[in-house]
Amino acid sequence: MPRGRYSLHDPHDHTPYAEEHFQCAPGPSGWRYLSRLTTPSGDHRGSVDLALDHLGRPIRLELHTGSWQVRGAALDGVTWVRTDPTGTHATEGNARAHAFTGTSPAFLVATARLLRLTPSATARVRLVLFTEPVLAPRTVDQSWTLVDREAHATDNGPLVVDEYQVTALDTGEQHTVHITGDVVLAAPGIELEDLQSPPSVFDS
């Protein structure tokens, strides 16, 4: 069960805005990721609870940031309920999308798990993005290409690192994501600062 800490920063001006303390593990039904977020000064900022089924589909998502909360799952595409800061008004949403995404590294692992690309393969995916800091939903289309898969020797055996090129289909903007197992090594706005145990290896 990997445990560790990511630092999150603005990918454009590199301003740090959160530390994400996480643990994750595959299980009989799929994969689960839990994290708590703190501000750079150490104050509580939010949390992520994401569970995937064995095909990589989101069977449960709970996001908290500030006073906002989202709960969602794969249902008729994806369906979610977003609650406002007062807790008195809840809005429901649905989109013909494959999964969810957001600032947490969990979503990068989840999308890679959903697509299961082989080297040089490309796939298009539609995601519902929950934007910071109020978790407003927005549908985005992306193209993912598995550019390279490389094994690195370690004391615990080979560490397989996948390099993805992710393209935003509305703007053409591209960025690179490096993932090993269920841990993101590097991505725009994300740095892995601490890892207390090796990444999990998914069954094919």
Side-chain angles (χ1 to χ4, degrees):
M1 178 184 293
R3 296 173 180 263
R5 175 173 55 88
Y6 294 107
S7 62
L8 308 182
H9 57 268
D10 186 297
H12 302 291
D13 63 15
H14 303 291
T15 302
Y17 67 85
E19 298 274 317
E20 186 160 344
H21 303 261
F22 73 94
Q23 63 183 53
C24 54
S29 60
W31 181 71
R32 189 175 182 192
Y33 178 99
L34 296 167
S35 72
R36 58 182 179 82
L37 289 91
T38 58
T39 65
S41 61
D43 296 328
H44 178 72
R45 191 179 192 277
S47 63
V48 179
D49 184 348
L50 174 64
L52 308 180
D53 68 10
H54 67 288
L55 296 177
R57 298 172 299 192
I59 54 176
R60 186 182 68 257
L61 171 67
E62 287 194 21
L63 287 179
H64 295 263
T65 179
S67 300
W68 295 90
Q69 173 181 308
V70 164
R71 296 187 180 202
L75 182 67
D76 295 328
V78 292
T79 300
W80 65 92
V81 175
R82 176 174 173 266
T83 304
D84 67 297
T86 65
T88 57
H89 302 286
T91 56
E92 295 185 5
N94 173 264
R96 291 292 179 183
H98 300 95
F100 301 108
T101 192
T103 58
S104 172
F107 294 114
L108 297 175
V109 175
T111 302
R113 187 64 185 150
L114 178 70
L115 298 178
R116 302 189 192 201
L117 298 176
T118 55
S120 301
T122 297
R124 175 173 172 160
V125 63
R126 173 164 289 182
L127 304 168
V128 172
L129 166 69
F130 293 108
T131 59
E132 298 282 349
V134 295
L135 302 181
R138 183 165 65 92
T139 302
V140 297
D141 290 306
Q142 296 178 343
S143 172
W144 281 58
T145 301
L146 180 50
V147 177
D148 189 32
R149 173 170 288 163
E150 188 172 351
H152 299 266
T154 71
D155 293 340
N156 297 313
L159 188 71
V160 178
V161 178
D162 288 340
E163 177 187 340
Y164 294 92
Q165 179 178 280
V166 181
T167 303
L169 294 179
D170 56 346
T171 65
E173 181 181 0
Q174 295 183 336
H175 60 268
T176 301
V177 175
H178 290 90
I179 297 175
T180 178
D182 53 0
V183 172
V184 176
L185 297 178
I190 298 169
E191 295 292 339
L192 179 64
E193 301 289 354
D194 179 49
L195 185 61
Q196 299 173 15
S197 55
S200 303
V201 177
F202 288 112
D203 295 330
S204 59

